[in-house]
Structures are given as structure tokens and as C-alpha cells.
Amino acid sequence: MTVDIQKSSLLIASVLVTSLLVGCKGGLFADKTEAAEIEPPLTANISVIEAEKKPVTLFDELQGRVVAFRTAEIRPQVSGIITQRLFKQGEVTASEQPLFQINKEPFVIDIQEKEASLAQAKVTLEQAERQYIRLQELDKTSAVSKQALDEANFNYKKASANVMQNAATLDQSKLNLKFATIRAPISGIIEQALVTEGTLVSKGDSQALAIIKQIDKVYIDVRQPASKFPLLRKLVASGTPQEQSVKQKTNQRGLGVNIIVSDDNGEKMTGQIVFSGISVDVNTGDLIVRIIAENGKHTLLPGMYVRTEIPRRKLDAFLLPQQAIQRASNGEAYVVVVTEKGDVEQHVVKLDGIQNFNYVVTQGLHQGDKVIVEGHENLIPGAALNISQWQAAELAG
């Protein structure tokens, strides 16, 4: 009985030792081999851009208000009752387009009266002329007194002046009939009618009948410190050939300005500063800078507020994507550059604003430096650099 127990114990111990050996061989050693096989090499994937210095114009971003290029208040030049409104509210009107009709009948009757008065005056003139001619003939034979001849001459001249006066009065009556049809003085968009049919209007009314605004081009008024006026004037004098040609066509001094219509889609328009429209606010010391812009699609409406980019300075600088700029703990800006030896090093840079989502770098870089844009987090000591050229499309992705 004792022998059997001993044999069983030896058998169990043998099985345990065998299992342990098998487990060590197929378990622990196998894990170390697999770990060695799947451990990735130390590689840093980065994308770089080659620094290139180019001419850059820095802008001041200011808010401006849109003003109609021309505004005309429609007012009557004669008195009468409005019988018709000849336009649709909110439509585009052409210059000289009929807008309102004042009752014509009183003016037609007035013309007829003036025509009768003129005809009567002409008859009187003919009579006075014949009398004067007859007395002139008699005066040759001394058959008429000097006083009678002078009186005939006076009557003749008076009748002639009376004809001229009646003719002028008739012309005024015809002009009043023309004014009875109220026309658009300028082309543009006409707003709502401020009077209705049946309204009695007169030349001295303070209220306009309607308002027309020309907005195929518009003004944008912005404020800027007066201290910047000499710099603006200098920029105009050194404008680009394209800007100079535009100035010659418009016969205006101007400087190109960007107008940001919408922040949603980045839509922009271009305009020009009109220096003849500048004045200084005596309370704030700001310049009222007036910009003119083409607005054929009526994108800009009077009263709207838009953002403008007014040129501030022209210089040679580097443009880098925003993700290329890193910040130190003290807030100092720097970039990481790949050297010719394949190493990386930090360059402290000076930033001078943002243009088209790119930082403007004025100091800290050299022409041709390879600046890391993406992959900073992959930079590990001892890792080999896997460099690719950065493309702008990567930002959108």
C-alpha cells in the first residue's frame, strides 16, 4: 500500500515538471520571440515645406459700412394730384424712366391759354409795326410830328417785348406739362413709394415721393487713425502696375483693398481707396476712409457692415501654414527645421500677422530651410526621419 502511494506521487511530480517545461518552452520563450518580431522600427513620419521669401503686403482689418454710390430723392417740380404710379417697388430703374404721373389737364389748359395770349400779342405787334412804318414814311416829308413818331416807335417795341414775354410764358407752361410726368434722375434701385395715387403734391414738399439708390458700385466707409495717412499716401505712390493702370482709367488716386463679403465661404471683392473722400473726425482723430467697389451683382447693400483689408506695409517675408508654428512655454514662437545633415533643430521666429491662413514670418528663417509642417508629435530621439513634401490639400483633409 505504501509502495503504491509513492509511485503515484512520483508520477504526479513527473507530470507537473513536464508541463512546466513545456509551458516555458512554448509560452515564455515564444512571447519573447514574437515581441521581437512585431516591435516597429523608430521612424518619424513628417511633412515639410521649403521656406521661400516673397513680396508680402500686410493688411489692417477694419470694419466698414456700405453706402450707395448715388442717392436721389424723387420730388415734384410742379403741384398737382398724383394719378398714377408707373414703377414697381424694388425694381431697377433706368435714368429718365417715368415714375409718377401728375394730373395733366390743368397744364394742358394752361398751355392753351398761353398760346391764345401769344397769338393776341403777335397781332398787336403787327399793328404796332405797321403804324411805326407808316409814320416813318410820313416823317420823310415832315408830315408827322416828332412826338407821334417816337410814340409809334415805343408802341412797336413794347408789343415786340410782349410777344417775347408770352412766348416765354408758353414755354414755361409746356415745361410744367413735361414735369407733370416725374422721371428718374439716375439709374438704380427704387425703394418703396412714399405716396399713393390721389395725393396732392407740391414743389415745396419736404417728403420725397420715393428714393433711388445706385448700387452697381458702392462706397464703403471705414475708420482708421489719422497717423496712418502718410503711410497710405506712400503706398499709393508706389502702387503696382496693375493698380496704376486702374487709376489712369478711373482718373482717381486709389489703393487696392480687399472686401470680405462672407466669412462662411471666404468670398472677397476688391475695391480702391478714394482719397478725395477722406476727412478727419475732430472727436476721435480717425480718418474716414472711403473705398469704392464694383457691385454689379448687388452683393453689397447700403447699410451693410463688411470687413475690409487695407494695405499697411509691403515687405519680403516667408509665408508658413499655421500648423508649422509651435509655441514654447513662455509663448515664444518657433519652427522645427530639418538640417542638411538630417537632424532637426528649433528656430525662434518673429511673426508679423496672418495672411490667407498663413503666418507671415519676418525673422528666424533662411531661404530654402525645410520647415516641418506636420508630424511634430512623431519626433522621437534616435528615430529616422521619413520626410515627405507638404501639400496644401493635406490641410483640408
Side-chain angles (χ1 to χ4, degrees):
M1 191 67 178
T2 304
V3 175
D4 291 339
I5 293 173
Q6 290 178 347
K7 289 181 178 180
S8 299
S9 300
L10 290 172
L11 179 60
I12 292 171
S14 176
V15 170
L16 290 174
V17 171
T18 304
S19 300
L20 182 59
L21 291 174
V22 171
C24 290
K25 181 177 181 180
L28 180 61
F29 297 142
D31 290 343
K32 289 183 178 180
T33 304
E34 291 176 4
E37 290 177 354
I38 65 174
E39 182 178 352
L42 294 177
T43 302
N45 296 321
I46 60 173
S47 58
V48 302
I49 187 172
E50 189 170 311
E52 180 183 0
K53 183 172 285 190
K54 58 183 66 176
V56 176
T57 301
L58 302 179
F59 297 91
D60 285 329
E61 189 173 299
L62 300 170
Q63 190 178 56
R65 188 178 182 184
V66 179
V67 180
F69 182 70
R70 289 194 294 178
T71 300
E73 294 186 349
I74 309 305
R75 299 182 184 275
Q77 293 179 275
V78 293
S79 301
I81 301 293
I82 298 290
T83 58
Q84 283 182 293
R85 174 169 58 85
L86 305 173
F87 66 93
K88 293 182 180 180
Q89 301 178 88
E91 72 175 359
V92 178
T93 62
S95 179
E96 297 300 317
Q97 176 180 329
L99 302 177
F100 293 95
Q101 182 61 59
I102 295 177
N103 186 14
K104 291 182 178 181
E105 293 182 2
F107 303 103
V108 173
I109 294 173
D110 184 59
I111 288 175
Q112 292 173 349
E113 290 178 352
K114 296 302 190 298
E115 287 176 341
S117 297
L118 178 59
Q120 185 178 358
K122 287 181 178 179
V123 171
T124 302
L125 175 61
E126 290 177 3
Q127 183 180 5
E129 184 179 14
R130 287 197 300 268
Q131 178 68 8
Y132 178 55
I133 292 174
R134 187 174 67 83
L135 293 181
Q136 279 183 321
E137 293 297 328
L138 292 175
D139 183 58
K140 294 178 181 179
T141 59
S142 299
V144 65
S145 66
K146 183 66 174 177
Q147 181 179 358
L149 181 61
D150 290 342
E151 185 176 349
N153 183 27
F154 172 79
N155 290 335
Y156 169 68
K157 291 181 178 179
K158 181 180 179 180
S160 178
N162 193 33
V163 169
M164 295 174 62
Q165 181 180 6
N166 279 275
T169 304
L170 176 60
D171 289 340
Q172 180 63 56
S173 297
K174 290 180 178 179
L175 189 59
N176 291 339
L177 177 60
K178 180 181 178 181
F179 288 157
T181 302
I182 301 175
R183 300 178 181 274
I186 63 173
S187 59
I189 295 181
I190 190 166
E191 298 182 344
Q192 73 271 23
L194 302 178
V195 297
T196 60
E197 294 85 350
T199 303
L200 174 62
V201 297
S202 63
K203 187 176 181 179
D205 286 345
S206 59
Q207 182 183 9
L209 308 184
I211 297 176
I212 297 177
K213 293 183 178 180
Q214 181 182 347
I215 61 171
D216 54 351
K217 47 186 173 182
V218 294
Y219 290 121
I220 301 171
D221 290 340
V222 300
R223 291 179 175 269
Q224 195 173 43
S227 58
K228 294 190 177 183
F229 176 71
L231 179 60
L232 284 175
R233 186 165 50 189
K234 182 178 179 181
L235 286 173
V236 172
S238 61
T240 64
Q242 182 179 2
E243 290 172 342
Q244 297 290 353
S245 64
V246 171
K247 284 181 272 181
Q248 291 173 1
K249 290 180 182 178
T250 58
N251 196 27
Q252 293 178 339
R253 294 181 297 162
L255 180 65
V257 175
N258 294 326
I259 302 164
I260 303 171
V261 179
S262 172
D263 291 327
D264 297 333
N265 55 15
E267 182 181 357
K268 288 186 179 182
M269 299 172 61
T270 57
Q272 282 189 321
I273 293 177
V274 181
F275 280 87
S276 59
I278 288 181
S279 59
V280 178
D281 191 317
V282 294
N283 297 317
T284 64
D286 289 340
L287 289 172
I288 308 300
V289 181
R290 172 153 281 190
I291 300 166
I292 187 172
E294 295 294 331
N295 189 38
K297 295 182 179 180
H298 297 172
T299 305
L300 303 177
L301 299 177
M304 285 178 60
Y305 283 95
V306 295
R307 289 190 297 118
T308 63
E309 294 176 336
I310 297 180
R312 166 168 56 92
R313 181 184 171 197
K314 292 186 177 181
L315 71 165
D316 291 334
F318 301 97
L319 293 177
L320 294 182
Q322 295 186 32
Q323 60 266 46
I325 305 301
Q326 305 295 305
R327 293 284 181 178
S329 57
N330 60 358
E332 196 172 49
Y334 70 90
V335 296
V336 181
V337 176
V338 178
T339 66
E340 294 182 357
K341 297 180 180 180
D343 300 326
V344 294
E345 58 185 21
Q346 293 183 1
H347 287 194
V348 176
V349 294
K350 179 181 178 181
L351 307 180
D352 204 341
I354 297 177
Q355 185 180 90
N356 297 329
F357 303 104
N358 292 320
Y359 274 109
V360 179
V361 179
T362 55
Q363 292 181 14
L365 282 178
H366 299 92
Q367 186 77 7
D369 281 350
K370 294 181 179 179
V371 181
I372 298 178
V373 180
E374 294 180 343
H376 296 88
E377 67 281 2
N378 298 329
L379 296 176
I380 303 174
L385 300 180
N386 181 24
I387 302 173
S388 62
Q389 190 69 26
W390 182 84
Q391 301 294 332
E394 294 183 18
L395 180 61

